[in-house]
Amino acid sequence: MTLLDLPETAPLDAEVAETAAPATASPGPRPGLVLAALAVGGFAIGTTEFASMSLLPAFAPDLGIDAPTAGHVISAYALGVVVGAPVIAVLAAKVARRTLLVGLMVLFALGNGLSALAPSYDWMLAFRFLAGLPHGAYFGVAALVAASLVPRQRRTQAVSRVILGLTVATVVGVPLANGIGQLVGWRWSFGLVALLAVLTAVLVRLHAPLGAPAAGASPLRELGALRRGQVWLTLATGAIGFGGLFSVYTYLASTLLGVTHATPASIPAVLAVFGLGMTVGNLVCAWAADRAQMPAAGATLVWSAAALALYPAATASLWALAPVVFLIGCGCGLATILQTRLMDVAEDAQTLAAALNHSAFNVANALGPWLAGLALTAGFGLPATGWVGVGLALGGLAIWAVSVLAERRDRPSVRRLA
């Protein structure tokens, strides 16, 4: 059986209760088509999230603002993710998952379409916040749907196929959006994302199972996830441990120009190498997590710390830096592992916990660059962002260790974490 084959076993997710179908009904959902549809949404989200940073020099003068002020537009999107993920997950507890996914993509299309039409900086802030609201909830719900389509031992790989859309966006979608922005204007780049979101909504509506909510589903039950210590430990592992990747990525272009003395033309190529690392790491870590979940998470954090430790010395040469950047990008696989970890520890509050994973990673997206910026302000230089990343990766590893020890204490009979 391959990942894309429809399993003969019942879906893993007990919370998904499909509506009864008559004997003459059409065959059930085809996992390959469902995962492809969900990945298109991931591609759209990844494109707008990362391309917005590269389009900043284009829309800043058009909106009459300077570059530092334009950076608030990026922050507005991240804030929308952090706020939207838990709020939508709780309020939509009784909504069928397919219906929720379609609604989230419609909202995402609206936010990006309005961003393309933004007449001023203030409106742009509002529209980017709106576009960020469905981000975390979409990935969370999409991960639950993906996991429900395959046997338990392959669920992390199924989730990785959804996140694959985001990682491929860093290699293909971001350069495409940036190229469109340079050729015909930045507004068309946001328009492209809006069209991708509409396409996702149509594909999900056509191919995804309805996924009716379980009996007893309610906002109060979803909030129950916040009472579980392992949920918080998992979220903290991502918020801290993943921050190291962002501490380097944020200042990578500046490092290439100011330290490596590479040409501006080399920047897109190195960023693409980073994206390739993210894609490979996502797939490999998913394979490992389906065999030994928590050991895979710990090993990924150790990998990240080691790769980030190589970064300061590698910044002197482009040929040394490119492979190290690839290795650092591989640490992105932690996101997929922690997504399925939350499915295990959230019990009957699956939707909120799954959505919060992306709030945690946006905290990492803010924390990593902030701490790296403090190091730069203190005069340590751009290569030191790698050492900041090492500290964050080791911090995430320490939280992971606490989670493992706590689980062994609570369930001493468990000899192997999987």
Side-chain angles (χ1 to χ4, degrees):
M1 181 186 293
T2 65
L3 174 63
L4 301 185
D5 291 330
L6 182 63
E8 296 178 1
T9 56
L12 164 70
D13 188 357
E15 190 179 339
V16 179
E18 298 295 337
T19 53
T24 57
S26 59
R30 297 174 60 186
L33 291 176
V34 178
L35 295 175
L38 297 174
V40 174
F43 183 86
I45 291 175
T47 298
T48 195
E49 183 177 22
F50 288 95
S52 297
M53 304 174 191
S54 65
L55 291 171
L56 189 149
F59 68 73
D62 199 20
L63 296 176
I65 53 178
D66 56 20
T69 303
H72 297 159
V73 172
I74 310 301
S75 300
Y77 180 90
L79 181 61
V81 178
V82 173
V83 173
V87 171
I88 293 175
V90 170
L91 295 181
K94 295 185 177 182
V95 179
R97 286 179 177 167
R98 186 180 67 192
T99 303
L100 179 55
L101 287 170
V102 171
L104 290 170
M105 274 294 107
V106 170
L107 178 60
F108 186 71
L110 178 64
N112 282 280
L114 291 174
S115 296
L117 302 173
S120 67
Y121 165 67
D122 292 336
W123 280 110
M124 188 64 165
L125 279 179
F127 295 151
R128 293 316 293 158
F129 177 81
L130 177 66
L133 289 175
H135 175 134
Y138 175 82
F139 274 118
V141 176
L144 294 174
V145 171
S148 74
L149 297 172
V150 298
R152 181 182 180 85
Q153 67 271 20
R154 299 198 179 194
R155 60 190 178 138
T156 311
Q157 295 175 70
V159 172
S160 76
R161 296 308 190 268
V162 178
I163 298 180
L164 186 65
L166 186 149
T167 62
V168 170
T170 64
V171 182
V172 179
V174 173
L176 176 62
N178 188 265
I180 290 175
Q182 294 184 34
L183 288 175
V184 295
W186 61 270
R187 296 181 184 275
W188 289 96
S189 298
F190 288 109
L192 170 65
V193 173
L195 290 176
L196 287 171
V198 172
L199 174 62
T200 302
V202 172
L203 292 175
V204 170
R205 178 61 183 81
L206 290 175
H207 300 297
L210 180 61
S218 69
L220 186 61
R221 193 172 79 173
E222 289 297 330
L223 288 171
L226 303 181
R227 297 195 301 268
R228 301 182 178 105
Q230 284 292 346
V231 169
W232 285 107
L233 286 170
T234 304
L235 294 173
T237 299
I240 303 299
F242 211 66
L245 184 147
F246 288 111
S247 69
V248 165
Y249 185 87
T250 303
Y251 296 99
L252 181 56
S254 299
T255 302
L256 284 166
L257 296 175
V259 179
T260 314
H261 303 297
T263 63
S266 67
I267 295 177
V270 175
L271 294 178
V273 169
F274 195 97
L276 286 173
M278 293 175 67
T279 302
V280 172
N282 174 52
L283 296 175
V284 172
C285 288
W287 175 87
D290 276 335
R291 286 152 179 80
Q293 185 188 83
M294 287 300 278
T300 303
L301 287 164
V302 171
W303 173 285
S304 293
L308 288 162
L310 297 174
Y311 181 80
T315 56
S317 166
L318 181 62
W319 295 108
L321 185 61
V324 170
V325 163
F326 175 85
L327 296 177
I328 293 172
C330 289
C332 176
L334 181 66
T336 305
I337 300 173
L338 296 184
Q339 190 76 67
T340 49
R341 170 65 175 170
L342 285 167
M343 295 178 190
D344 290 338
V345 299
E347 298 179 18
D348 58 358
Q350 295 279 308
T351 305
L352 176 59
L356 281 173
N357 191 39
H358 295 273
S359 292
F361 284 115
N362 272 270
V363 171
N365 196 2
L367 181 63
W370 177 65
L371 292 176
L374 291 180
L376 296 178
T377 301
F380 288 103
L382 286 165
T385 57
W387 295 120
V388 174
V390 171
L392 287 168
L394 292 177
L397 184 63
I399 299 171
W400 167 88
V402 171
S403 178
V404 171
L405 292 174
E407 187 164 69
R408 287 178 176 172
R409 179 199 64 203
D410 295 338
R411 295 190 296 169
S413 61
V414 175
R415 300 300 181 191
R416 179 176 63 86
L417 293 173

